[in-house]
Amino acid sequence: MDFTWAIKYATEFLATAILIILGNGAVANVELKGTKGHQSGWIVIAVGYGMGVMIPALMFGNVSGNHINPAFTLGLAVSGLFPWAQVAPYIVAQVLGAIFGQALVVVTHRPYYLKTENPNNILGTFSTISSLDNGSKESRFAATVNGFVNEFVGSFVLFFAALGLTKHFFGAELVSKAQAAINSQVAQATTQGQTIPQEQVTAALEQAKEQVAPFMTSGLGIAHLALGFLVMALVTSLGGPTGPALNPARDFGPRLLHAFLPKSVLGEHKGDSKWWYSWVPVVAPIAAAIAAVAIFKFLYL
């Protein structure tokens, strides 16, 4: 089924909101004082983020592509795999979705924000914080360098693996074979001096996709499930240094909300939004996405 771009924008908004509700909601459950999940551990957060990616992927993968990440959108556009005209609307939808999702986390956890005394625990439910940051200006350089390296490596693995899962899933080869067969027919007709209208070629490919779709559905579904486990593994293995973000919208939108919300909402112990670090979880994932998509396209597409 083909969806309008307006529906795709709305879907990116909803999908990103779900990501934040499940991901940052898990962080709030662990970090905020007084919740039943307080200090329940890093695995809880990893599961929350894994489900936060998996559920929207299963819901919306065939609607908007389930980017839910400006870095991924930009990486695809730079490599010619996504139209530039849709980049800005997608990113706006993602950032707004992240802000909306975070607002719901605040609404549901407000009594526990008021109880929490550690400002880093409060900020950590919104955005990433380097574990090397001890509050002094001297620690900022090391925190920034380590944070950038961590975000870049984690984001590269995320985007490269995500493309592999969604492009090379079991059953995808059927479409490739159908495309190759149609291209061969077109080439043969051309050598014989015949011209096949592009509309006819497109229709033939769409018909071939419909015929093989029943054999592809399970493979694509497994690929979307695997995306959740991929994020869960990344948060478990590379989450210690920074959080991590792996997603500019996931960090920037909630951080912006943290800066605007007053202490009457987040409690007297609300601290600095740490804008000095905010460029790291934005720039590093974007750079990693561009590199990952370009390398994947060079090798496999």
Side-chain angles (χ1 to χ4, degrees), residues 178-210:
Q179 178 74 69
I182 292 173
N183 290 342
S184 177
Q185 293 176 5
V186 172
Q188 184 177 0
T190 302
T191 58
Q192 296 175 355
Q194 301 175 1
T195 301
I196 300 179
Q198 183 60 42
E199 295 80 4
Q200 185 176 341
V201 175
T202 302
L205 181 59
E206 289 301 320
Q207 183 179 6
K209 287 182 178 180
E210 290 180 4

Short mmCIF file of all heavy atoms in Angstrom, two decimals, residues 178-210:
data_model
loop_
_atom_site.label_atom_id
_atom_site.label_comp_id
_atom_site.label_asym_id
_atom_site.label_seq_id
_atom_site.Cartn_x
_atom_site.Cartn_y
_atom_site.Cartn_z
N ALA A 178 13.75 -11.19 -9.57
CA ALA A 178 12.67 -10.68 -10.42
C ALA A 178 13.13 -9.45 -11.19
O ALA A 178 12.86 -9.31 -12.39
CB ALA A 178 11.45 -10.36 -9.57
N GLN A 179 13.84 -8.55 -10.50
CA GLN A 179 14.36 -7.35 -11.15
C GLN A 179 15.34 -7.72 -12.25
O GLN A 179 15.31 -7.15 -13.35
CB GLN A 179 15.05 -6.46 -10.11
CG GLN A 179 15.69 -5.20 -10.69
CD GLN A 179 14.66 -4.15 -11.06
OE1 GLN A 179 14.04 -3.56 -10.18
NE2 GLN A 179 14.48 -3.91 -12.36
N ALA A 180 16.22 -8.68 -11.96
CA ALA A 180 17.21 -9.11 -12.96
C ALA A 180 16.53 -9.72 -14.17
O ALA A 180 16.95 -9.49 -15.32
CB ALA A 180 18.18 -10.10 -12.32
N ALA A 181 15.47 -10.51 -13.94
CA ALA A 181 14.76 -11.14 -15.05
C ALA A 181 14.09 -10.10 -15.94
O ALA A 181 14.14 -10.19 -17.17
CB ALA A 181 13.72 -12.12 -14.51
N ILE A 182 13.50 -9.10 -15.31
CA ILE A 182 12.84 -8.03 -16.07
C ILE A 182 13.87 -7.21 -16.84
O ILE A 182 13.67 -6.87 -18.01
CB ILE A 182 12.02 -7.14 -15.12
CG1 ILE A 182 10.83 -7.93 -14.57
CG2 ILE A 182 11.52 -5.89 -15.85
CD1 ILE A 182 10.06 -7.21 -13.49
N ASN A 183 14.99 -6.90 -16.19
CA ASN A 183 16.06 -6.15 -16.87
C ASN A 183 16.59 -6.94 -18.07
O ASN A 183 16.92 -6.35 -19.12
CB ASN A 183 17.20 -5.86 -15.90
CG ASN A 183 16.81 -4.84 -14.84
OD1 ASN A 183 15.84 -4.10 -15.02
ND2 ASN A 183 17.56 -4.78 -13.76
N SER A 184 16.68 -8.26 -17.91
CA SER A 184 17.16 -9.09 -19.02
C SER A 184 16.19 -9.05 -20.19
O SER A 184 16.60 -8.97 -21.35
CB SER A 184 17.33 -10.54 -18.53
OG SER A 184 17.72 -11.38 -19.59
N GLN A 185 14.89 -9.08 -19.88
CA GLN A 185 13.88 -9.00 -20.95
C GLN A 185 13.94 -7.66 -21.67
O GLN A 185 13.81 -7.59 -22.89
CB GLN A 185 12.49 -9.22 -20.35
CG GLN A 185 12.27 -10.64 -19.80
CD GLN A 185 10.92 -10.79 -19.13
OE1 GLN A 185 10.10 -9.88 -19.15
NE2 GLN A 185 10.69 -11.95 -18.52
N VAL A 186 14.13 -6.59 -20.89
CA VAL A 186 14.24 -5.26 -21.49
C VAL A 186 15.46 -5.17 -22.39
O VAL A 186 15.41 -4.64 -23.51
CB VAL A 186 14.29 -4.18 -20.39
CG1 VAL A 186 14.59 -2.81 -20.99
CG2 VAL A 186 12.98 -4.14 -19.61
N ALA A 187 16.59 -5.71 -21.91
CA ALA A 187 17.82 -5.67 -22.70
C ALA A 187 17.68 -6.48 -23.98
O ALA A 187 18.14 -6.05 -25.06
CB ALA A 187 18.98 -6.21 -21.86
N GLN A 188 17.05 -7.65 -23.89
CA GLN A 188 16.84 -8.49 -25.07
C GLN A 188 15.94 -7.79 -26.09
O GLN A 188 16.21 -7.83 -27.30
CB GLN A 188 16.23 -9.82 -24.65
CG GLN A 188 16.06 -10.81 -25.82
CD GLN A 188 15.52 -12.14 -25.35
OE1 GLN A 188 15.28 -12.34 -24.17
NE2 GLN A 188 15.32 -13.07 -26.29
N ALA A 189 14.90 -7.14 -25.60
CA ALA A 189 14.00 -6.42 -26.50
C ALA A 189 14.72 -5.26 -27.18
O ALA A 189 14.51 -4.98 -28.36
CB ALA A 189 12.79 -5.91 -25.72
N THR A 190 15.61 -4.60 -26.42
CA THR A 190 16.35 -3.47 -26.97
C THR A 190 17.27 -3.91 -28.10
O THR A 190 17.39 -3.23 -29.13
CB THR A 190 17.15 -2.78 -25.85
OG1 THR A 190 16.26 -2.35 -24.82
CG2 THR A 190 17.90 -1.57 -26.40
N THR A 191 17.94 -5.05 -27.89
CA THR A 191 18.85 -5.55 -28.93
C THR A 191 18.11 -5.93 -30.20
O THR A 191 18.68 -5.94 -31.29
CB THR A 191 19.63 -6.77 -28.41
OG1 THR A 191 18.70 -7.79 -28.01
CG2 THR A 191 20.51 -6.39 -27.24
N GLN A 192 16.83 -6.24 -30.04
CA GLN A 192 16.02 -6.59 -31.19
C GLN A 192 15.31 -5.39 -31.81
O GLN A 192 14.47 -5.52 -32.68
CB GLN A 192 14.97 -7.64 -30.78
CG GLN A 192 15.57 -8.96 -30.34
CD GLN A 192 14.55 -9.94 -29.81
OE1 GLN A 192 13.36 -9.59 -29.70
NE2 GLN A 192 14.98 -11.16 -29.51
N GLY A 193 15.66 -4.22 -31.30
CA GLY A 193 15.10 -3.00 -31.85
C GLY A 193 13.74 -2.64 -31.32
O GLY A 193 13.06 -1.77 -31.87
N GLN A 194 13.31 -3.31 -30.26
CA GLN A 194 12.01 -3.03 -29.66
C GLN A 194 12.17 -2.08 -28.48
O GLN A 194 13.21 -2.04 -27.84
CB GLN A 194 11.34 -4.32 -29.19
CG GLN A 194 11.14 -5.34 -30.32
CD GLN A 194 10.59 -6.65 -29.79
OE1 GLN A 194 10.33 -6.79 -28.60
NE2 GLN A 194 10.40 -7.61 -30.69
N THR A 195 11.12 -1.34 -28.21
CA THR A 195 11.13 -0.41 -27.07
C THR A 195 9.98 -0.75 -26.13
O THR A 195 8.82 -0.79 -26.56
CB THR A 195 10.97 1.05 -27.54
OG1 THR A 195 12.05 1.37 -28.44
CG2 THR A 195 11.01 2.00 -26.34
N ILE A 196 10.34 -1.01 -24.88
CA ILE A 196 9.33 -1.32 -23.87
C ILE A 196 9.10 -0.07 -23.03
O ILE A 196 10.05 0.46 -22.45
CB ILE A 196 9.78 -2.49 -22.97
CG1 ILE A 196 10.01 -3.74 -23.82
CG2 ILE A 196 8.74 -2.76 -21.89
CD1 ILE A 196 10.48 -4.94 -23.02
N PRO A 197 7.89 0.44 -22.99
CA PRO A 197 7.61 1.65 -22.19
C PRO A 197 7.98 1.45 -20.73
O PRO A 197 7.83 0.35 -20.18
CB PRO A 197 6.09 1.84 -22.36
CG PRO A 197 5.74 1.09 -23.60
CD PRO A 197 6.68 -0.07 -23.66
N GLN A 198 8.48 2.52 -20.11
CA GLN A 198 8.88 2.45 -18.71
C GLN A 198 7.71 2.07 -17.81
O GLN A 198 7.89 1.36 -16.81
CB GLN A 198 9.47 3.80 -18.26
CG GLN A 198 9.98 3.81 -16.82
CD GLN A 198 11.09 2.79 -16.61
OE1 GLN A 198 11.97 2.64 -17.44
NE2 GLN A 198 11.05 2.09 -15.47
N GLU A 199 6.52 2.53 -18.17
CA GLU A 199 5.34 2.20 -17.37
C GLU A 199 5.11 0.69 -17.33
O GLU A 199 4.72 0.12 -16.31
CB GLU A 199 4.09 2.89 -17.92
CG GLU A 199 4.13 4.42 -17.83
CD GLU A 199 4.96 5.06 -18.93
OE1 GLU A 199 5.44 4.32 -19.82
OE2 GLU A 199 5.14 6.28 -18.89
N GLN A 200 5.38 0.03 -18.48
CA GLN A 200 5.19 -1.42 -18.55
C GLN A 200 6.23 -2.14 -17.70
O GLN A 200 5.92 -3.14 -17.04
CB GLN A 200 5.28 -1.87 -20.02
CG GLN A 200 4.97 -3.35 -20.22
CD GLN A 200 4.97 -3.74 -21.69
OE1 GLN A 200 4.86 -2.87 -22.56
NE2 GLN A 200 5.12 -5.02 -21.97
N VAL A 201 7.45 -1.63 -17.70
CA VAL A 201 8.52 -2.22 -16.89
C VAL A 201 8.19 -2.09 -15.41
O VAL A 201 8.32 -3.04 -14.63
CB VAL A 201 9.87 -1.54 -17.19
CG1 VAL A 201 10.95 -2.07 -16.25
CG2 VAL A 201 10.27 -1.77 -18.64
N THR A 202 7.74 -0.90 -15.02
CA THR A 202 7.38 -0.66 -13.62
C THR A 202 6.23 -1.56 -13.19
O THR A 202 6.25 -2.13 -12.09
CB THR A 202 7.00 0.82 -13.41
OG1 THR A 202 8.09 1.65 -13.81
CG2 THR A 202 6.66 1.08 -11.96
N ALA A 203 5.23 -1.68 -14.05
CA ALA A 203 4.08 -2.53 -13.73
C ALA A 203 4.50 -3.98 -13.58
O ALA A 203 4.01 -4.70 -12.69
CB ALA A 203 3.02 -2.39 -14.82
N ALA A 204 5.41 -4.44 -14.44
CA ALA A 204 5.87 -5.82 -14.36
C ALA A 204 6.62 -6.08 -13.05
O ALA A 204 6.46 -7.13 -12.41
CB ALA A 204 6.78 -6.13 -15.55
N LEU A 205 7.43 -5.10 -12.64
CA LEU A 205 8.17 -5.25 -11.39
C LEU A 205 7.23 -5.26 -10.19
O LEU A 205 7.39 -6.07 -9.27
CB LEU A 205 9.19 -4.12 -11.25
CG LEU A 205 10.07 -4.17 -9.98
CD1 LEU A 205 10.85 -5.48 -9.92
CD2 LEU A 205 11.03 -2.98 -9.95
N GLU A 206 6.23 -4.40 -10.22
CA GLU A 206 5.26 -4.36 -9.12
C GLU A 206 4.48 -5.67 -9.04
O GLU A 206 4.21 -6.18 -7.95
CB GLU A 206 4.29 -3.18 -9.31
CG GLU A 206 4.93 -1.82 -9.09
CD GLU A 206 5.51 -1.65 -7.70
OE1 GLU A 206 4.87 -2.12 -6.72
OE2 GLU A 206 6.61 -1.08 -7.58
N GLN A 207 4.15 -6.23 -10.20
CA GLN A 207 3.44 -7.50 -10.22
C GLN A 207 4.32 -8.61 -9.65
O GLN A 207 3.85 -9.48 -8.89
CB GLN A 207 3.01 -7.85 -11.64
CG GLN A 207 2.20 -9.14 -11.74
CD GLN A 207 1.76 -9.45 -13.16
OE1 GLN A 207 2.16 -8.77 -14.10
NE2 GLN A 207 0.95 -10.48 -13.33
N ALA A 208 5.60 -8.56 -10.00
CA ALA A 208 6.53 -9.57 -9.49
C ALA A 208 6.67 -9.45 -7.97
O ALA A 208 6.73 -10.46 -7.26
CB ALA A 208 7.89 -9.39 -10.16
N LYS A 209 6.71 -8.21 -7.46
CA LYS A 209 6.80 -7.99 -6.01
C LYS A 209 5.58 -8.55 -5.30
O LYS A 209 5.70 -9.15 -4.22
CB LYS A 209 6.96 -6.50 -5.72
CG LYS A 209 8.33 -5.93 -6.06
CD LYS A 209 8.41 -4.46 -5.68
CE LYS A 209 9.79 -3.88 -5.97
NZ LYS A 209 9.87 -2.44 -5.60
N GLU A 210 4.41 -8.35 -5.90
CA GLU A 210 3.18 -8.87 -5.29
C GLU A 210 3.19 -10.40 -5.24
O GLU A 210 2.71 -11.00 -4.28
CB GLU A 210 1.97 -8.38 -6.07
CG GLU A 210 1.70 -6.88 -5.91
CD GLU A 210 0.49 -6.43 -6.70
OE1 GLU A 210 -0.18 -7.31 -7.31
OE2 GLU A 210 0.21 -5.22 -6.72
#
